[in-house]
Amino acid sequence: MTDQDATRGIKGALNQGAASAIGKLGVPGGFLNNPKVKIPLPPALDEVAKGMRMMGRGKDADELVESMNHAAEQAVPEAKELMIAAVKTMSVGDAKKILTGGDNSVTDFFRAKTQAPLAVKFLPIVTRATARVGLAQKYDQFAGEGVKFGLIKGDNASIEHYVTEKTLDGLYVMIGEEERAIRQHPAQAASAIVAKVFGSLR
């Protein structure tokens, strides 16, 4: 197999994996209904949530979690452009590293190339989404309960940054799943060249 074949196959696999991951996450319920990527309350608020549930105010915690996950679902489609750009600029060296790397080499490639710019791109989208549902206020109110009960300090990171970080984590988790599926079942890949390249590894 030529380097050109291998590079084309890798690029095809990357585009397929990224498109599939974005397609699964960037829809209503994409995060919320998927236990692998569902965004939980920030760890500092776990104890607060337990206390509020005991007081019959569990609905507040559930609404907060729903709002965070819906914000993530709205942000993810914006990743497509940056993912495609990363694949286009991939070198033969990158392709060889992915081909001979472990099960997470595609995910590692995307993380290295897109994590920083995606964080910048996602943050304003998450901020707008959270503003629409008053998420920051809900979070502040929730965190305020924790401060009141001495469970958390008042200097927690903003909810927007937390959701942005978790959105990125979820995206890379799903890309990793797509990568493993292509490696394990290359014959089912979307294109012949992808099947050929990954089939040669078996």
Side-chain angles (χ1 to χ4, degrees), residues 58-90:
K59 187 168 174 278
D60 293 341
D62 294 339
E63 281 180 0
L64 188 58
V65 169
E66 282 176 23
S67 300
M68 289 191 303
N69 283 276
H70 291 326
E73 290 154 11
Q74 289 172 42
V76 156
E78 297 299 316
K80 195 169 184 180
E81 203 177 293
L82 274 168
M83 294 284 181
I84 290 169
V87 174
K88 278 183 181 168
T89 59
M90 189 179 73

Side-chain angles (χ1 to χ4, degrees), residues 49-179:
K50 284 175 195 165
M52 292 183 82
R53 289 188 196 286
M54 285 168 68
M55 291 158 46
R57 290 178 57 197
K59 187 168 174 278
D60 293 341
D62 294 339
E63 281 180 0
L64 188 58
V65 169
E66 282 176 23
S67 300
M68 289 191 303
N69 283 276
H70 291 326
E73 290 154 11
Q74 289 172 42
V76 156
E78 297 299 316
K80 195 169 184 180
E81 203 177 293
L82 274 168
M83 294 284 181
I84 290 169
V87 174
K88 278 183 181 168
T89 59
M90 189 179 73
S91 67
V92 172
D94 287 331
K96 284 181 174 172
K97 201 184 293 180
I98 288 168
L99 199 57
T100 57
D103 274 358
N104 296 313
S105 54
V106 167
T107 314
D108 292 342
F109 168 81
F110 273 129
R111 197 181 278 278
K113 299 279 184 185
T114 65
Q115 187 166 20
L118 276 179
V120 172
K121 199 175 181 80
F122 281 179
L123 185 59
I125 298 162
V126 169
T127 302
R128 283 197 299 274
T130 57
R132 271 200 300 274
V133 296
L135 180 58
Q137 292 91 326
K138 286 178 189 170
Y139 175 81
D140 290 342
Q141 182 185 353
F142 213 80
E145 296 281 343
V147 172
K148 191 162 64 183
F149 294 118
L151 292 169
I152 57 174
K153 296 190 178 78
D155 57 353
N156 275 281
S158 77
I159 190 66
E160 292 87 359
H161 281 92
Y162 172 76
V163 173
T164 297
E165 183 186 315
K166 291 297 180 186
T167 303
L168 284 165
D169 288 347
L171 178 58
Y172 297 126
V173 163
M174 292 305 289
I175 286 172
E177 289 217 332
E178 297 299 325
E179 174 180 8

Side-chain angles (χ1 to χ4, degrees), residues 11 47 141 181:
K11 285 186 174 183
E47 289 302 316
Q141 182 185 353

